[in-house]
Amino acid sequence: MPGHHPARSRRPTERKGDVRERAILDTCEALLAQKGHDAITVGDIAEGAGITRGALYFYFGSKQEVVTALVARTVEHLWERSRATAKTDEPRQAIAAAMQRTVELWNEHGPVMRTAIDLSLTVPEIGELWSHTADLFTEAITAVLERAGVQAGTEPDQASAMARALCWMIERTFYHASQEAREKLQKASSTCEHIWLTSAGLTA
């Protein structure tokens, strides 16, 4: 790609030991919480990271590339949590643990996750990351529903279809709750947990 710097194509896992890149991403996350995506400039990120704009461009070609790398770093945490959910054997415990981890993630990375959702339709790289994240969570929810006795399959009353609907319901519910106050996240979690338990036939 013309003008594409090799450093920009590195995966986030290759940058973990690089203090400067980590500082850029940490600064971007802090600025998302303080100012929101639209108000942030490359200069803001560089200043917060303690480097010049030129130094920042050695690592990232634009603000969008910084945000995309930050989303990639954040969804790695999401993927780890989804795998943990899928491995918990007892359905009630799995659901409770999954919802508590969801609250923790939105508390820790809410601004990044809202930004990922907002940009997922217009930035292909972010859209792909977020879609893959949703697929992993859907798989984890499907596994929990099937362990609870819901029939496997893609029909409306079967585990896979129910899991996809639950996944997107949880995403949208937490998105709105996180815009209001952190206290709302716990209430959102309790509601989503109740719906998930009801879907799994575990409320009796």
Side-chain angles (χ1 to χ4, degrees):
M1 182 182 298
H4 186 76
H5 195 291
R8 297 176 204 163
S9 62
R10 297 181 201 156
R11 291 188 60 80
T13 52
E14 296 171 347
R15 298 201 264 271
K16 286 184 178 178
D18 192 304
V19 174
R20 183 167 286 180
E21 287 196 28
R22 188 162 59 246
I24 292 169
L25 297 183
D26 289 346
T27 297
C28 183
E29 181 159 13
L31 288 169
L32 285 175
Q34 294 166 14
K35 303 174 67 170
H37 174 267
D38 292 343
I40 297 172
T41 67
V42 169
D44 293 333
I45 300 170
E47 181 180 359
I51 60 176
T52 65
R53 287 171 62 101
L56 186 145
Y57 283 125
F58 177 79
Y59 296 94
F60 302 99
S62 65
K63 180 179 84 170
Q64 181 173 303
E65 287 193 10
V66 178
V67 172
T68 299
L70 177 59
V71 170
R73 185 177 75 170
T74 303
V75 298
E76 284 187 357
H77 297 303
L78 294 171
W79 297 346
E80 290 169 6
R81 304 297 173 91
S82 71
R83 285 192 289 269
T85 298
K87 291 177 181 177
T88 305
D89 289 331
E90 205 285 313
R92 287 180 186 274
Q93 293 177 3
I95 293 169
M99 296 314 307
Q100 185 54 46
R101 284 190 287 262
T102 302
V103 171
E104 292 168 359
L105 281 164
W106 277 91
N107 274 325
E108 294 166 12
H109 305 294
V112 181
M113 293 163 72
R114 285 198 304 273
T115 300
I117 293 167
D118 290 340
L119 297 179
S120 61
L121 294 178
T122 56
V123 180
E125 296 87 351
I126 291 177
E128 184 177 344
L129 284 166
W130 201 250
S131 178
H132 182 51
T133 301
D135 288 342
L136 290 175
F137 270 91
T138 298
E139 290 173 10
I141 295 170
T142 299
V144 173
L145 290 174
E146 289 178 359
R147 286 201 297 274
V150 177
Q151 183 179 355
T154 58
E155 293 301 313
D157 60 345
Q158 294 175 342
S160 181
M162 292 169 65
R164 182 157 293 278
L166 284 166
C167 175
W168 291 113
M169 177 204 69
I170 291 168
E171 182 226 73
R172 187 53 44 177
T173 301
F174 273 81
Y175 177 95
H176 287 291
S178 72
Q179 290 179 305
E180 298 181 43
R182 287 195 169 194
E183 297 75 32
K184 297 284 187 179
L185 289 173
Q186 195 59 56
K187 290 184 178 180
S189 175
S190 297
T191 299
C192 291
E193 181 174 345
H194 175 73
I195 293 171
W196 189 352
L197 287 166
T198 301
S199 300
L202 297 172
T203 52

XYZ file of all heavy atoms in Angstrom, residues 94-185:
713
model
N -21.670 -19.942 35.395
C -21.114 -19.379 34.169
C -21.783 -18.055 33.824
O -21.124 -17.081 33.444
C -21.277 -20.366 33.013
N -23.104 -18.006 33.961
C -23.853 -16.789 33.634
C -23.503 -15.670 34.606
O -23.233 -14.538 34.203
C -25.366 -17.072 33.632
C -25.711 -18.014 32.465
C -26.164 -15.781 33.534
C -27.121 -18.573 32.515
N -23.485 -15.980 35.896
C -23.149 -14.963 36.901
C -21.734 -14.431 36.693
O -21.486 -13.214 36.754
C -23.292 -15.547 38.306
N -20.805 -15.343 36.429
C -19.409 -14.928 36.223
C -19.265 -14.102 34.951
O -18.541 -13.100 34.927
C -18.511 -16.162 36.155
N -19.960 -14.508 33.908
C -19.876 -13.774 32.644
C -20.394 -12.355 32.795
O -19.798 -11.392 32.294
C -20.666 -14.506 31.559
N -21.504 -12.187 33.504
C -22.065 -10.857 33.669
C -21.185 -9.994 34.570
O -21.029 -8.793 34.330
C -23.485 -10.941 34.230
C -24.489 -11.630 33.295
S -24.421 -11.082 31.566
C -24.566 -9.313 31.730
N -20.584 -10.596 35.590
C -19.689 -9.820 36.450
C -18.458 -9.378 35.673
O -17.992 -8.238 35.811
C -19.260 -10.647 37.666
C -18.432 -9.864 38.672
C -19.114 -8.577 39.136
O -20.294 -8.570 39.460
N -18.368 -7.479 39.142
N -17.924 -10.268 34.827
C -16.772 -9.888 34.002
C -17.149 -8.797 33.013
O -16.341 -7.920 32.703
C -16.224 -11.118 33.268
C -15.412 -12.051 34.159
C -14.688 -13.100 33.359
N -15.589 -14.111 32.841
C -15.810 -15.294 33.403
N -15.197 -15.591 34.539
N -16.620 -16.169 32.862
N -18.384 -8.833 32.527
C -18.839 -7.802 31.600
C -18.885 -6.444 32.282
O -18.468 -5.428 31.710
C -20.227 -8.165 31.028
O -20.150 -9.441 30.378
C -20.692 -7.127 30.020
N -19.381 -6.414 33.518
C -19.392 -5.167 34.287
C -17.961 -4.643 34.462
O -17.678 -3.450 34.264
C -20.048 -5.368 35.665
C -19.850 -4.134 36.543
C -21.527 -5.659 35.513
N -17.057 -5.528 34.818
C -15.666 -5.121 35.040
C -15.059 -4.539 33.766
O -14.367 -3.505 33.808
C -14.843 -6.323 35.523
C -15.215 -6.802 36.923
C -14.616 -8.146 37.257
O -13.916 -8.722 36.379
O -14.854 -8.643 38.381
N -15.314 -5.191 32.634
C -14.754 -4.716 31.374
C -15.303 -3.354 30.978
O -14.564 -2.482 30.510
C -15.037 -5.737 30.264
C -14.119 -6.952 30.256
C -14.713 -8.062 29.390
C -12.744 -6.564 29.735
N -16.594 -3.154 31.164
C -17.183 -1.863 30.816
C -16.718 -0.777 31.785
O -16.566 0.381 31.398
C -18.704 -1.964 30.770
C -19.181 -2.494 29.451
C -19.413 -3.799 29.122
C -19.479 -1.729 28.277
N -19.829 -3.906 27.814
C -19.881 -2.645 27.276
C -19.443 -0.369 27.975
C -20.241 -2.232 26.000
C -19.799 0.048 26.699
C -20.196 -0.875 25.725
N -16.489 -1.134 33.037
C -15.923 -0.167 33.986
C -14.507 0.219 33.593
O -14.111 1.384 33.687
C -15.927 -0.738 35.407
C -17.239 -0.497 36.132
O -17.874 0.536 35.946
N -17.645 -1.442 36.952
N -13.735 -0.761 33.154
C -12.333 -0.533 32.830
C -12.153 0.132 31.468
O -11.278 0.992 31.293
C -11.570 -1.866 32.850
C -11.466 -2.513 34.220
C -11.010 -3.966 34.132
O -10.559 -4.384 33.044
O -11.132 -4.684 35.140
N -12.964 -0.275 30.489
C -12.710 0.126 29.099
C -13.952 0.648 28.381
O -14.032 0.584 27.155
C -12.139 -1.059 28.315
C -10.907 -1.664 28.911
N -9.701 -0.993 28.987
C -10.694 -2.882 29.486
C -8.799 -1.772 29.567
N -9.376 -2.918 29.883
N -14.917 1.151 29.138
C -16.167 1.605 28.535
C -16.002 2.572 27.376
O -16.603 2.376 26.310
N -15.195 3.624 27.513
C -15.046 4.570 26.402
C -14.499 3.917 25.128
O -14.915 4.269 24.023
C -14.070 5.611 26.958
C -14.289 5.570 28.441
C -14.543 4.124 28.749
N -13.567 2.980 25.295
C -13.021 2.287 24.117
C -14.092 1.412 23.469
O -14.236 1.388 22.238
C -11.807 1.416 24.500
C -11.238 0.721 23.254
C -10.734 2.242 25.174
N -14.859 0.724 24.288
C -15.876 -0.172 23.749
C -16.997 0.603 23.068
O -17.509 0.201 22.013
C -16.380 -1.095 24.863
C -15.287 -2.058 25.326
S -15.589 -2.852 26.917
C -16.894 -3.986 26.504
N -17.383 1.742 23.638
C -18.388 2.582 22.974
C -17.861 3.098 21.640
O -18.580 3.129 20.642
C -18.796 3.752 23.876
C -19.710 3.367 25.014
C -20.426 4.584 25.597
N -19.490 5.611 26.034
C -18.931 5.644 27.245
N -19.216 4.706 28.140
N -18.108 6.621 27.583
N -16.595 3.490 21.635
C -15.989 3.968 20.394
C -15.941 2.856 19.355
O -16.211 3.087 18.166
C -14.564 4.496 20.667
O -14.640 5.575 21.604
C -13.901 4.989 19.394
N -15.609 1.646 19.784
C -15.575 0.511 18.858
C -16.952 0.281 18.243
O -17.072 0.049 17.032
C -15.099 -0.745 19.588
N -17.980 0.347 19.062
C -19.342 0.160 18.561
C -19.703 1.278 17.589
O -20.243 1.040 16.506
C -20.336 0.103 19.736
C -20.100 -1.164 20.567
C -21.784 0.142 19.224
C -20.813 -1.167 21.909
N -19.374 2.525 17.954
C -19.714 3.667 17.103
C -19.013 3.602 15.749
O -19.583 3.998 14.725
C -19.323 4.977 17.802
C -20.197 5.286 19.006
O -21.317 4.729 19.091
O -19.759 6.070 19.874
N -17.767 3.112 15.732
C -16.976 3.116 14.499
C -17.057 1.807 13.720
O -16.524 1.722 12.614
C -15.503 3.409 14.829
C -15.194 4.770 15.461
C -13.695 4.888 15.735
C -15.657 5.909 14.565
N -17.713 0.804 14.293
C -17.693 -0.521 13.676
C -18.328 -0.561 12.286
O -17.984 -1.417 11.466
C -18.381 -1.546 14.589
O -19.737 -1.191 14.800
N -19.242 0.369 11.998
C -19.899 0.382 10.692
C -19.135 1.200 9.657
O -19.391 1.073 8.458
C -21.328 0.924 10.815
C -22.303 0.076 11.628
C -23.663 0.752 11.697
C -22.433 -1.320 11.033
N -18.205 2.042 10.106
C -17.514 2.925 9.170
C -16.016 2.651 9.046
O -15.388 3.102 8.087
C -17.705 4.400 9.584
O -17.246 4.572 10.929
C -19.176 4.798 9.496
N -15.433 1.952 10.006
C -14.015 1.600 9.946
C -13.922 0.081 9.827
O -14.167 -0.633 10.806
C -13.260 2.095 11.202
C -11.788 1.721 11.119
C -13.429 3.605 11.372
N -13.599 -0.432 8.650
C -13.654 -1.895 8.428
C -12.833 -2.699 9.424
O -13.280 -3.756 9.874
C -13.098 -2.041 7.003
C -13.406 -0.733 6.343
C -13.255 0.299 7.419
N -11.634 -2.221 9.771
C -10.792 -2.980 10.690
C -11.453 -3.110 12.059
O -11.422 -4.182 12.679
C -9.422 -2.306 10.847
C -8.594 -2.263 9.573
C -8.896 -1.051 8.702
O -9.869 -0.322 9.003
O -8.176 -0.845 7.720
N -12.064 -2.035 12.525
C -12.749 -2.078 13.811
C -14.010 -2.922 13.700
O -14.338 -3.703 14.608
C -13.064 -0.654 14.308
C -11.757 0.058 14.679
C -14.014 -0.683 15.511
C -11.928 1.496 15.127
N -14.724 -2.787 12.598
C -15.916 -3.610 12.388
C -15.598 -5.089 12.430
O -16.346 -5.881 13.023
N -14.478 -5.471 11.821
C -14.084 -6.883 11.818
C -13.724 -7.360 13.218
O -14.111 -8.455 13.635
C -12.887 -7.068 10.876
C -12.446 -8.515 10.729
C -11.307 -8.682 9.740
O -11.060 -7.746 8.949
O -10.662 -9.749 9.764
N -12.983 -6.534 13.949
C -12.629 -6.891 15.327
C -13.866 -7.059 16.196
O -13.978 -8.019 16.972
C -11.722 -5.810 15.930
C -10.264 -5.780 15.483
C -9.618 -4.463 15.900
C -9.500 -6.950 16.068
N -14.817 -6.126 16.059
C -16.003 -6.167 16.909
C -16.916 -7.324 16.518
O -17.512 -7.977 17.376
C -16.744 -4.834 16.852
C -17.631 -4.651 18.055
C -19.001 -4.671 18.078
C -17.211 -4.454 19.401
N -19.450 -4.491 19.369
C -18.370 -4.358 20.198
C -15.954 -4.349 20.005
C -18.313 -4.164 21.572
C -15.903 -4.158 21.382
C -17.076 -4.066 22.142
N -17.015 -7.589 15.219
C -17.830 -8.716 14.759
C -17.252 -10.039 15.262
O -17.998 -10.931 15.697
C -17.901 -8.709 13.232
O -18.647 -9.805 12.757
N -15.941 -10.167 15.210
C -15.300 -11.390 15.702
C -15.522 -11.541 17.198
O -15.768 -12.645 17.699
C -13.803 -11.359 15.395
C -13.065 -12.593 15.812
N -13.477 -13.864 15.468
C -11.942 -12.752 16.565
C -12.638 -14.765 15.980
N -11.709 -14.111 16.657
N -15.453 -10.422 17.923
C -15.711 -10.453 19.359
C -17.135 -10.937 19.639
O -17.358 -11.780 20.517
C -15.514 -9.045 19.960
O -14.178 -8.614 19.700
C -15.762 -9.049 21.460
N -18.097 -10.402 18.883
C -19.493 -10.827 19.059
C -19.646 -12.318 18.762
O -20.384 -13.030 19.460
C -20.406 -10.015 18.152
N -18.952 -12.805 17.737
C -19.024 -14.235 17.403
C -18.499 -15.094 18.554
O -19.095 -16.133 18.888
C -18.212 -14.528 16.137
C -18.871 -13.988 14.882
O -20.088 -13.703 14.915
O -18.170 -13.858 13.859
N -17.395 -14.660 19.160
C -16.831 -15.432 20.277
C -17.764 -15.438 21.478
O -17.940 -16.474 22.130
C -15.465 -14.854 20.666
C -14.329 -15.079 19.669
C -13.078 -14.351 20.115
C -14.039 -16.560 19.488
N -18.369 -14.288 21.778
C -19.309 -14.237 22.888
C -20.555 -15.064 22.588
O -21.106 -15.718 23.476
C -19.684 -12.790 23.208
C -18.772 -12.157 24.213
C -17.651 -11.463 23.805
C -19.018 -12.290 25.561
C -16.793 -10.892 24.725
C -18.171 -11.724 26.495
C -17.051 -11.020 26.078
N -20.997 -15.030 21.346
C -22.157 -15.836 20.966
C -21.860 -17.318 21.146
O -22.708 -18.079 21.644
C -22.556 -15.545 19.505
O -22.930 -14.160 19.393
C -23.719 -16.417 19.069
N -20.667 -17.733 20.756
C -20.278 -19.131 20.946
C -20.264 -19.507 22.425
O -20.715 -20.596 22.811
C -18.889 -19.370 20.336
C -18.864 -19.330 18.812
C -17.449 -19.394 18.268
O -16.512 -19.667 19.059
O -17.274 -19.166 17.062
N -19.743 -18.599 23.259
C -19.692 -18.872 24.697
C -21.094 -18.961 25.290
O -21.389 -19.859 26.092
C -18.888 -17.785 25.406
N -21.975 -18.039 24.889
C -23.354 -18.060 25.385
C -24.070 -19.309 24.899
O -24.830 -19.939 25.646
C -24.107 -16.785 24.945
C -23.485 -15.553 25.596
C -25.591 -16.873 25.317
C -24.004 -14.230 25.044
N -23.825 -19.682 23.646
C -24.425 -20.903 23.090
C -24.044 -22.113 23.930
O -24.896 -22.958 24.262
C -23.969 -21.116 21.638
O -24.394 -20.008 20.840
C -24.562 -22.395 21.058
N -22.755 -22.200 24.274
C -22.285 -23.350 25.059
C -22.982 -23.406 26.414
O -23.368 -24.483 26.880
C -20.769 -23.250 25.250
N -23.169 -22.244 27.048
C -23.850 -22.212 28.350
C -25.304 -22.639 28.198
O -25.832 -23.435 28.999
C -23.760 -20.799 28.972
C -24.607 -20.726 30.241
C -22.313 -20.445 29.282
N -25.981 -22.130 27.188
C -27.386 -22.499 26.967
C -27.532 -24.003 26.708
O -28.450 -24.644 27.241
C -27.955 -21.711 25.775
C -28.167 -20.209 25.988
C -28.588 -19.554 24.680
C -29.215 -19.945 27.074
N -26.639 -24.549 25.923
C -26.718 -25.988 25.633
C -26.466 -26.816 26.884
O -27.128 -27.838 27.107
C -25.726 -26.344 24.523
C -26.154 -25.801 23.149
C -25.154 -26.121 22.062
O -24.114 -26.744 22.358
O -25.417 -25.751 20.894
N -25.539 -26.377 27.735
C -25.301 -27.106 28.989
C -26.507 -27.015 29.910
O -26.736 -27.903 30.745
C -24.058 -26.562 29.695
C -22.753 -26.968 29.046
C -21.581 -26.852 30.009
N -21.365 -25.487 30.442
C -20.633 -24.589 29.789
N -20.053 -24.918 28.643
N -20.475 -23.370 30.264
N -27.290 -25.948 29.756
C -28.498 -25.785 30.574
C -29.672 -26.576 30.018
O -30.746 -26.604 30.627
C -28.877 -24.310 30.666
N -29.501 -27.207 28.848
C -30.550 -28.047 28.287
C -31.279 -27.466 27.102
O -32.226 -28.084 26.583
N -30.880 -26.284 26.624
C -31.511 -25.704 25.435
C -31.029 -26.486 24.211
O -29.839 -26.787 24.080
C -31.159 -24.204 25.286
C -31.773 -23.635 24.011
C -31.643 -23.436 26.509
N -31.947 -26.796 23.336
C -31.616 -27.592 22.156
C -30.632 -26.856 21.256
O -30.763 -25.663 20.996
C -32.889 -27.909 21.365
C -32.647 -28.809 20.146
C -33.935 -29.104 19.407
O -35.013 -28.724 19.847
N -33.831 -29.775 18.269
N -29.634 -27.595 20.767
C -28.673 -27.012 19.832
C -29.356 -26.729 18.498
O -30.285 -27.428 18.106
C -27.500 -27.968 19.624
N -28.907 -25.683 17.808
C -29.469 -25.378 16.497
C -29.658 -23.898 16.282
O -29.417 -23.081 17.180
N -30.098 -23.553 15.080
C -30.214 -22.143 14.692
C -31.652 -21.672 14.548
O -31.891 -20.544 14.129
C -29.480 -21.914 13.357
O -30.046 -22.770 12.350
C -27.988 -22.202 13.484
N -32.615 -22.512 14.885
C -34.013 -22.092 14.850
C -34.257 -21.073 15.971
O -33.490 -21.012 16.936
C -34.946 -23.298 15.013
C -34.914 -24.269 13.838
C -35.308 -23.596 12.531
O -36.330 -22.862 12.514
O -34.591 -23.775 11.533
N -35.308 -20.268 15.871
C -35.529 -19.186 16.840
C -35.510 -19.608 18.304
O -35.100 -18.822 19.166
C -36.898 -18.630 16.437
C -36.983 -18.901 14.973
C -36.299 -20.232 14.779
N -35.971 -20.832 18.602
C -36.019 -21.276 19.993
C -34.844 -22.177 20.354
O -34.872 -22.859 21.382
C -37.341 -22.008 20.268
C -37.518 -23.241 19.377
O -36.778 -23.371 18.367
O -38.398 -24.064 19.689
N -33.821 -22.173 19.542
C -32.660 -23.029 19.785
C -31.445 -22.192 20.197
O -31.421 -20.970 20.062
C -32.363 -23.877 18.542
C -33.479 -24.882 18.266
C -33.290 -25.668 16.980
O -32.518 -25.279 16.105
N -33.992 -26.787 16.857
N -30.436 -22.887 20.714
C -29.350 -22.222 21.441
C -28.590 -21.171 20.637
O -28.333 -20.068 21.134
C -28.377 -23.273 21.979
N -28.222 -21.477 19.423
C -27.388 -20.551 18.656
C -28.102 -19.234 18.367
O -27.535 -18.145 18.545
C -26.941 -21.210 17.352
O -26.115 -20.345 16.609
N -29.359 -19.331 17.925
C -30.123 -18.112 17.624
C -30.391 -17.317 18.892
O -30.289 -16.073 18.896
C -31.438 -18.482 16.940
N -30.731 -17.994 19.977
C -30.978 -17.306 21.239
C -29.704 -16.620 21.738
O -29.743 -15.491 22.242
C -31.499 -18.295 22.276
C -32.899 -18.829 21.973
S -33.362 -20.215 23.042
C -33.398 -19.424 24.646
N -28.565 -17.290 21.579
C -27.298 -16.735 22.040
C -26.942 -15.462 21.285
O -26.466 -14.487 21.881
C -26.190 -17.778 21.884
N -27.153 -15.451 19.978
C -26.832 -14.252 19.199
C -27.695 -13.070 19.653
O -27.205 -11.949 19.803
C -27.010 -14.525 17.703
C -26.634 -13.335 16.824
C -26.280 -13.777 15.422
N -25.054 -14.550 15.405
C -23.820 -14.035 15.407
N -23.669 -12.718 15.457
N -22.763 -14.807 15.380
N -28.992 -13.337 19.870
C -29.870 -12.266 20.336
C -29.440 -11.782 21.722
O -29.425 -10.573 21.989
C -31.315 -12.760 20.371
N -29.063 -12.697 22.606
C -28.606 -12.315 23.940
C -27.321 -11.494 23.863
O -27.160 -10.506 24.590
C -28.374 -13.567 24.793
C -29.626 -14.258 25.337
C -29.272 -15.643 25.860
C -30.251 -13.414 26.449
N -26.415 -11.892 22.990
C -25.146 -11.190 22.845
C -25.369 -9.725 22.471
O -24.834 -8.808 23.115
C -24.284 -11.884 21.794
S -22.736 -11.015 21.421
N -26.184 -9.490 21.451
C -26.403 -8.120 20.996
C -27.264 -7.330 21.975
O -27.099 -6.112 22.110
C -27.019 -8.121 19.604
C -26.052 -8.600 18.559
C -26.133 -9.750 17.825
C -24.828 -7.971 18.154
N -25.049 -9.864 16.993
C -24.224 -8.787 17.179
C -24.179 -6.796 18.544
C -23.008 -8.460 16.564
C -22.963 -6.473 17.939
C -22.408 -7.298 16.964
N -28.152 -8.016 22.686
C -28.928 -7.343 23.726
C -28.003 -6.844 24.837
O -28.121 -5.700 25.311
C -29.968 -8.297 24.310
C -30.771 -7.705 25.464
S -31.464 -8.967 26.561
C -29.981 -9.609 27.352
N -27.080 -7.696 25.265
C -26.145 -7.328 26.319
C -25.275 -6.153 25.860
O -25.068 -5.188 26.611
C -25.277 -8.539 26.714
C -26.152 -9.593 27.434
C -24.112 -8.117 27.607
C -25.468 -10.937 27.611
N -24.775 -6.223 24.635
C -23.938 -5.130 24.121
C -24.675 -3.801 24.153
O -24.183 -2.808 24.679
C -23.497 -5.431 22.694
C -22.594 -4.359 22.111
C -22.981 -3.952 20.704
O -24.012 -3.264 20.527
O -22.252 -4.316 19.768
N -25.889 -3.775 23.617
C -26.636 -2.524 23.529
C -27.040 -2.013 24.920
O -26.990 -0.813 25.191
C -27.875 -2.736 22.652
C -28.657 -1.490 22.346
C -27.829 -0.372 21.757
N -26.899 -0.771 20.717
C -26.130 0.086 20.047
N -26.195 1.376 20.315
N -25.291 -0.353 19.131
N -27.428 -2.936 25.806
C -27.828 -2.545 27.157
C -26.671 -1.903 27.916
O -26.823 -0.860 28.561
C -28.362 -3.762 27.931
O -29.485 -4.316 27.236
C -28.798 -3.372 29.341
N -25.495 -2.509 27.818
C -24.327 -1.959 28.502
C -23.847 -0.676 27.838
O -23.360 0.238 28.529
C -23.206 -3.004 28.550
C -23.306 -3.924 29.728
C -24.164 -5.006 29.713
C -22.553 -3.706 30.871
C -24.275 -5.851 30.801
C -22.649 -4.546 31.968
C -23.512 -5.622 31.934
N -23.958 -0.577 26.545
C -23.573 0.642 25.838
C -24.332 1.839 26.411
O -23.737 2.869 26.747
C -23.874 0.474 24.352
C -23.590 1.696 23.501
C -22.366 1.830 22.835
C -24.538 2.694 23.332
C -22.103 2.939 22.046
C -24.286 3.807 22.544
C -23.072 3.924 21.900
O -22.822 5.029 21.123
N -25.641 1.696 26.516
C -26.448 2.810 27.019
C -26.216 3.053 28.511
O -26.123 4.199 28.957
C -27.929 2.559 26.738
C -28.287 2.723 25.298
N -28.276 3.951 24.667
C -28.641 1.823 24.346
C -28.614 3.798 23.391
N -28.837 2.530 23.177
N -26.112 1.982 29.286
C -25.899 2.135 30.732
C -24.577 2.834 31.019
O -24.486 3.676 31.926
C -25.938 0.780 31.421
N -23.540 2.525 30.243
C -22.220 3.106 30.493
C -22.175 4.589 30.184
O -21.295 5.305 30.670
C -21.158 2.381 29.658
O -21.278 2.712 28.285
N -23.107 5.070 29.393
C -23.164 6.498 29.085
C -23.788 7.300 30.227
O -23.622 8.519 30.289
C -23.963 6.732 27.801
C -23.266 6.243 26.543
C -24.109 6.483 25.313
O -25.260 6.056 25.231
N -23.547 7.179 24.337
N -24.490 6.612 31.102
C -25.178 7.295 32.202
C -24.310 7.362 33.454
O -23.880 8.425 33.865
C -26.513 6.600 32.491
C -27.481 6.640 31.313
C -28.798 5.978 31.643
O -29.318 6.214 32.744
O -29.313 5.217 30.807
N -24.051 6.226 34.053
C -23.240 6.198 35.277
C -22.797 4.763 35.526
O -23.447 3.819 35.089
C -24.051 6.702 36.470
N -21.688 4.621 36.246
C -21.176 3.283 36.531
C -22.176 2.451 37.324
O -22.242 1.237 37.178
C -19.857 3.372 37.290
C -18.693 3.817 36.432
C -17.366 3.538 37.096
N -16.267 3.718 36.164
C -15.035 3.295 36.397
N -14.757 2.673 37.517
N -14.080 3.488 35.509
N -22.964 3.141 38.166
C -23.953 2.420 38.974
C -24.979 1.717 38.075
O -25.537 0.681 38.435
C -24.671 3.371 39.920
C -23.789 4.051 40.953
C -22.924 5.161 40.368
O -23.374 5.818 39.393
O -21.801 5.353 40.855
N -25.220 2.304 36.912
C -26.194 1.726 35.981
C -25.715 0.402 35.405
O -26.519 -0.436 34.994
C -26.472 2.701 34.840
C -27.107 4.021 35.265
C -28.578 3.846 35.585
C -29.244 5.188 35.842
N -30.681 5.056 36.126
N -24.393 0.222 35.358
C -23.853 -1.000 34.780
C -24.263 -2.228 35.586
O -24.578 -3.272 35.026
C -22.331 -0.919 34.675
C -21.783 0.041 33.621
C -20.268 0.156 33.752
C -22.156 -0.425 32.210
